[in-house]
């Protein structure tokens, strides 16, 4: 499910909008609102960077309640490395949005993306929120998606519909990415809305699982940012029966969508045994959420700064899934590989090199590498393939590098893009 | 001691030379010899990559004896990922050099650098060695330095003279670098020759220490190569008294050049107590070797592919030296920082970001950052410095980023360079 795709409708009970309030000197849109007409369960996943932007800290605090009504986002300034004044501004931004929307301050989450260091122009943001609040509407998702962009060349969105016990539920999400994108999330923001009814605990587990399989599988330049945030609101406006912990497969170690139900560890005696319908609903919701997150993540990679190719690094045959992941990330973050892939050669030697210095166990003579199924390396040596065969593959708009380490059953996939001269231009 | 500098004289008893034998299609020099007129102690430090080129494997085997007479090197093809045929070629190259030089085959070490995958053109290399062997001479170091180059824009050399118990001893070294340069050595080769008399065990310890403070302190693109090699031959032709284990400070944990003498663990009862002169000689030799290695390492960074700046990342105030090293490497390998430094802005926000995702403990509010002494960050926030003040610093041909984490006494330094569009051009 890659762009361009038509923008999905907002789920029931949500409105959104975007405008230019003057954070960006360019006059481009830089203020977005996402609002539910009723209290919603809320979940969030944030950057693992030790240096965290003020809005990340504020969201973490507010999410302790497990519910929210609105998200206010500005782009152009990250409000990172701004100390106590930055924290005050992030809280003031939430308060201003709450006042403009006439909802409790505790129910407003905030986000920022852009330059590290400067303080937010709070007068402009406050005035912008007052102007934007009355303008949000059911068709406002595209304007909101555009208002969170920085060096993105296009807005990013994805949607899904899923039927839960006979009722249609919608999920719609937007994201921004571009640079500073890396393992464990990076300067990327994503806001996902659904009219499913989901308990906060299950919502958090479902989001964590979806992020692990999507946003945490992508890397543009290996630089994890201070602001990465994925927020998910579920307002129940669809009328579908509520999904709660104990009905989800998301806590299963196996990761299988059809695995046996695990009851929560907190109060198992109080939990009713979920019906087969509830089990199936939870699995269907998770699958739809996974798809939305993966679509958004791949859109971010495809729009990596200066990049045009979606490169899939798939590793099999590692001693463990963790080692497969490490090997895939070593290749996906190799500057030499990624610079080479802006051309048309396979660069298999650089892939061998990156595998060799990865934390994963590698035995040179066991390694096999292919590109879209065309063998490049067999038993650690150049395969008997005409090198010209790789030109149309690597020269296209995306390809898959399949690496078999020949040592076990561990597997992983990471998505990345090439590094071009345009990346350098953008980041000087 | 940075280039350009006059080429140092070869130490007594050494000859060298270089020529074009046809490995490189360009016709540029691609074959080098370094030869001692008598047996020499030999030491080596190699890449930590799990994928190791054939010449690296062969050198490791041969160095078990602790002695060697000659080093034969070809550039243009790395002889990496070449399996058994590659190993046979590396051994055959040593045998051909041994025959041409009329020395035992076991005494010839080999090296290669260039493309991964192809087999060496052994007929051309063998013919080249036959032609080159009679042409080597005491003034041949520059030709040898040029013949090991790949994408280097200039040859790299360094020398030192040191007086040991009244006798002048010389050290001369050459290196090649350019891309794939990174922590723990990368596509770099360095060959260092001295007419000091040093036992193999001490020579290995001295080289390891010198490499840890020089070649292992540099990073160009974070890609560790399959071929990294530093070799050191000591032939004793100066007539200076021999340096042996027990006379060196290099085995000391403290690293201090004036620390107490540690006797070797093998046969301490047999060792004579070193004289103060021997202690002082060993320390003086180590210092000279350290200087030669650091000069060569910095020349490699300055000549990083497409790079023009020597950027020093100095971290203090970490909880440990290891954490300081991790923090410095995180910054020195940040693609965003290094791309930014091809311009004129300080990019302190990107430095904060890279510190935050390093394995080192970082507390945002404790961090201070300065550029050539000009403060950019105080207590985790932008310092009150005119941003224009950084333009002449970052826009120059080198600068030092000093980072104080404010958490302890750990310190480390790493040297790197900027990433430019020319890097992308070179590596496509």
């Amino acid at each position: 499910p890659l762009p361009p795709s038509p923008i999905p409708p907002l789920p029931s009970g949500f409105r959104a909008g975007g405008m230019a309030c003057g954070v960006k000197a360019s006059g481009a849109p830089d203020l977005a609102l996402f609002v539910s007409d009723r209290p919603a369960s809320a979940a969030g996943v944030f950057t693992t960077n030790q240096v965290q932007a003020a809005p990340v800290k504020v969201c973490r605090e507010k999410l302790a309640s497990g519910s929210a009504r609105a998200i206010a986002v500005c782009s152009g300034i990250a409000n990172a490395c701004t100390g106590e004044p930055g924290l005050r501004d992030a809280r003031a931004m939430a308060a201003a949005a709450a006042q403009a929307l006439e909802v409790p301050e505790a129910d407003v989450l905030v986000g920022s993306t852009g330059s590290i260091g400067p303080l937010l122009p709070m007068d402009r943001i406050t005035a912008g929120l007052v102007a934007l609040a009355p303008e949000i509407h059911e068709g406002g998702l595209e304007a909101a998606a555009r208002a969170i962009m920085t060096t993105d060349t296009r807005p990013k969105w994805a949607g899904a519909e899923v039927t839960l016990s006979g009722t249609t539920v919608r999920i719609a999400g937007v994201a921004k990415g571009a640079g500073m994108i890396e393992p464990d999330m990076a300067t990327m923001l994503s806001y996902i809305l659904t009219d499913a009814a989901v308990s906060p605990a299950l919502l958090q587990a479902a989001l964590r699982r979806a992020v692990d399989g999507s946003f945490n599988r992508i890397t543009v330049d290996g630089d994890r940012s201070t602001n990465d945030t994925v927020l998910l609101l579920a307002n129940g406006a669809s009328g579908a029966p509520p999904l709660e912990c104990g009905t989800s497969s998301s806590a299963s170690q196996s990761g299988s969508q059809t695995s046996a139900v695990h009851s929560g560890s907190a109060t198992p005696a109080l939990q009713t045994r979920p019906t087969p319908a509830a089990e199936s609903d939870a699995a269907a919701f998770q699958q739809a959420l996974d798809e939305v997150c993966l679509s958004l993540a791949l859109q971010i990679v495809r729009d990596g700064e200066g990049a045009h190719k979606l490169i899939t690094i798939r590793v099999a045959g590692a001693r463990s899934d963790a080692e497969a992941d490490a090997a895939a990330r070593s290749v996906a973050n190799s500057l030499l590989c990624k610079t080479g892939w802006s051309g048309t050669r396979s660069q298999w030697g650089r892939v061998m090199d990156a595998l060799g210095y990865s934390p994963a166990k590698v035995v040179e003579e066991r390694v096999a590498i292919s590109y879209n199924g065309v063998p490049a390396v067999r038993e650690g040596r150049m395969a008997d393939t005409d090198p010209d065969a790789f030109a149309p593959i690597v020269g296209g708009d995306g390809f898959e590098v399949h690496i078999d380490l020949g040592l076990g059953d561990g597997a992983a996939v990471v998505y990345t893009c090439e590094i071009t001269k345009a990346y350098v231009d953008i980041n000087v």
Side-chain angles (χ1 to χ4, degrees), chain A:
Chain A
L2 287 171
S5 62
I7 190 152
L10 273 170
S12 301
F14 283 102
R15 289 170 298 157
M19 67 173 287
C21 78
V23 177
K24 291 176 180 164
S26 67
D30 50 19
L31 189 65
L33 277 172
F34 306 86
V35 184
S36 168
D37 63 6
R38 67 200 76 186
S41 293
V45 176
F46 302 94
T47 181
T48 57
N49 198 308
Q50 296 174 87
V51 177
Q52 305 213 333
V56 169
K57 293 173 184 165
V58 169
C59 280
R60 284 184 187 281
E61 290 168 8
K62 290 184 178 242
L63 278 178
S65 72
S67 72
R69 285 278 299 270
I71 308 168
V73 187
C74 68
S75 61
I77 290 179
N79 194 8
C81 300
T82 46
E84 277 301 323
L87 273 176
R88 279 198 298 273
D89 287 348
R91 292 198 177 99
M93 185 169 152
Q99 189 167 22
L101 295 165
E102 298 178 349
V103 302
E105 182 180 336
D107 280 353
V108 181
L109 304 171
V110 289
S112 295
T113 176
S115 301
I116 295 177
L119 292 172
L120 295 176
M122 287 308 297
D123 49 346
R124 294 179 191 186
I125 288 173
T126 302
L129 289 166
V130 169
L132 182 57
E135 302 296 327
I136 57 174
H137 59 102
E138 290 79 358
L141 189 61
E142 177 168 351
R146 292 187 181 279
I148 65 173
M149 291 165 60
T150 55
T151 54
D152 306 68
T153 65
R154 49 186 182 265
K156 297 162 183 68
W157 51 65
E161 277 191 12
V162 59
T163 304
L164 305 184
S165 298
T167 302
T168 297
V169 161
R170 285 178 175 153
I171 304 175
V174 300
K176 64 84 54 181
M180 239 195 215
I181 298 297
E182 359 147 304
D184 295 315
M185 313 230 318
T187 305
M188 53 142 297
L189 302 178
S190 180
Y191 303 107
I192 305 168
L193 313 169
T194 179
D195 50 18
V198 190
S199 76
L202 176 56
L203 199 69
Q204 182 66 37
L207 181 62
R208 163 56 66 189
R209 174 170 157 169
V211 166
D212 283 344
S214 58
F215 298 113
N216 282 348
R217 301 273 105 217
I218 64 176
T219 176
V220 169
D221 54 17
D223 275 76
R224 241 167 296 167
S225 107
T226 52
N227 287 58
D228 304 334
T229 299
V230 180
L231 296 176
L232 169 58
L233 301 188
N235 71 0
S238 64
L243 304 175
E244 317 220 359
C245 270
T247 61
S248 164
S249 62
S250 67
S252 160
Q253 290 282 40
S254 78
S256 161
Q257 304 239 356
T258 56
S259 63
V261 171
H262 292 244
S263 58
S265 61
T267 52
L270 294 178
Q271 292 198 322
T272 54
R273 185 170 179 82
T275 62
E279 265 188 65
S280 148
D281 283 356
F285 177 75
Q286 181 74 56
Q287 186 178 338
L289 181 63
D290 289 349
E291 284 172 8
V292 167
C293 286
L294 184 59
S295 170
L296 292 171
L298 296 185
Q299 290 177 55
I300 287 173
V301 172
R302 273 200 182 275
D303 195 25
E305 284 171 346
H308 307 288
K309 303 180 186 181
L310 172 63
I311 303 172
T312 303
I313 311 293
R314 198 174 295 275
V315 173
R319 295 194 305 186
S320 66
D321 288 352
E323 289 202 359
D325 183 76
R329 288 186 192 280
S330 186
V331 173
N333 281 318
S334 159
L335 183 53
L336 270 173
C337 288
K338 297 169 70 152
T339 304
W341 287 331
S342 66
T344 58
R345 293 192 293 165
S346 76
Q347 308 290 357
W348 68 264
R350 299 179 184 185
V351 175
M352 286 292 292
D353 183 73
L355 292 172
Y357 65 73
S358 85
K361 173 72 175 175
V362 172
V363 178
E364 186 177 334
E365 297 75 18
R366 301 278 186 93
V367 178
I369 305 175
S370 62
Y371 292 67
N372 285 5
V374 177
V377 173
R378 283 199 172 109
E379 297 179 353
R381 295 187 56 195
M382 185 157 45
D384 186 23
T385 301
D386 179 355
D388 291 343
F390 299 105
I393 297 171
V394 178
D397 66 353
F399 57 92
E400 174 167 315
V401 184
H402 188 281
I403 297 161
D404 190 335
L405 296 180
L407 299 173
D409 295 325
V413 61
V414 172
Y415 306 94
T416 188
C417 57
E418 84 279 25
I419 294 285
T420 64
K421 286 195 278 189
Y423 176 92
V424 178
D425 273 332
I426 292 166
N427 284 296
V428 169

